[in-house]
Amino acid sequence: VYERGPTGWQEQAVLRTEPQPGGYFTIVNTTESVVTSISGDTVVIGNDQGYRLNSQGAQEKHGEAFVFVRQGTNWNLQARIVPNDVAIDDDFGRTVEISGDLAVIGAPDRDSPAVANSGMVYVFRRTGQTWTEVVRLAPDVNGLNGFGSALALDGTRLAVLGAHRGADGSVKKSAWLYSLAGGTSQALATVSID
């Protein structure tokens, strides 16, 4: 983490996580994506290459997100976020956004019961120091693909990018707009690009 002062940019901290036995740990390969989003003194880091050890001790790629909070000049790990139902290669954590106490994390390769790689977006809210999942977003449209491949969050307004199959069978890139006010989600609009 760098902070700009009167003499220029200076390193303030290096954010690290520690492996947890039988749990998640970060494998960072310079060719893989690690994404960040910051709001005030809180940063969310998504790593869609996060691995977990299964019951046989083998690594399975599930993805993960970390929340760090600044206190003075120190950055402390506040939470490690991994939903219970994330499956292998869902790419949870490929996209992240934060605004205040609201964090949104994409899993664009998550399968739905009917479509492989349809995607899903998870919404978390912070109360005190605890992050709780409040809603999952995945529109019910024909041939959904890559939902959550890009996110933009402004306050409680969320835009999610993905694609779906149109009535004529063509693939249409789309943006879904939501309101996340009051701990619920309300679909506002869908914009498709031909």
Side-chain angles (χ1 to χ4, degrees), residues 17-37:
T17 62
E18 296 298 324
Q20 295 182 353
Y24 283 81
F25 57 96
T26 303
I27 296 176
V28 176
N29 178 333
T30 57
T31 63
E32 302 298 344
S33 64
V34 175
V35 295
T36 62
S37 180

Side-chain angles (χ1 to χ4, degrees), residues 72-181:
T73 58
N74 296 317
W75 287 85
N76 301 306
L77 179 64
Q78 185 174 66
R80 179 185 307 258
I81 300 175
V82 182
N84 293 334
D85 69 335
V86 170
I88 296 172
D89 293 328
D90 279 354
D91 287 341
F92 177 83
R94 186 185 302 169
T95 54
V96 297
E97 280 289 319
I98 185 170
S99 181
D101 291 324
L102 198 60
V104 181
I105 303 170
D109 288 338
R110 180 180 168 92
D111 297 341
S112 72
V115 180
N117 300 326
S118 58
M120 183 173 283
V121 172
Y122 297 77
V123 180
F124 297 86
R125 185 173 299 280
R126 175 173 51 191
T127 304
Q129 296 185 18
T130 303
W131 289 88
T132 305
E133 183 181 319
V134 292
V135 69
R136 296 177 185 182
L137 304 173
D140 185 15
V141 296
N142 183 35
L144 183 64
N145 184 269
F147 182 77
S149 59
L151 305 169
L153 181 63
D154 182 16
T156 59
R157 299 288 177 137
L158 172 66
V160 181
L161 295 184
H164 68 94
R165 197 153 301 280
D168 61 358
S170 64
V171 174
K172 298 186 180 292
K173 295 179 182 176
S174 299
W176 287 264
L177 306 175
Y178 295 90
S179 170
L180 302 174

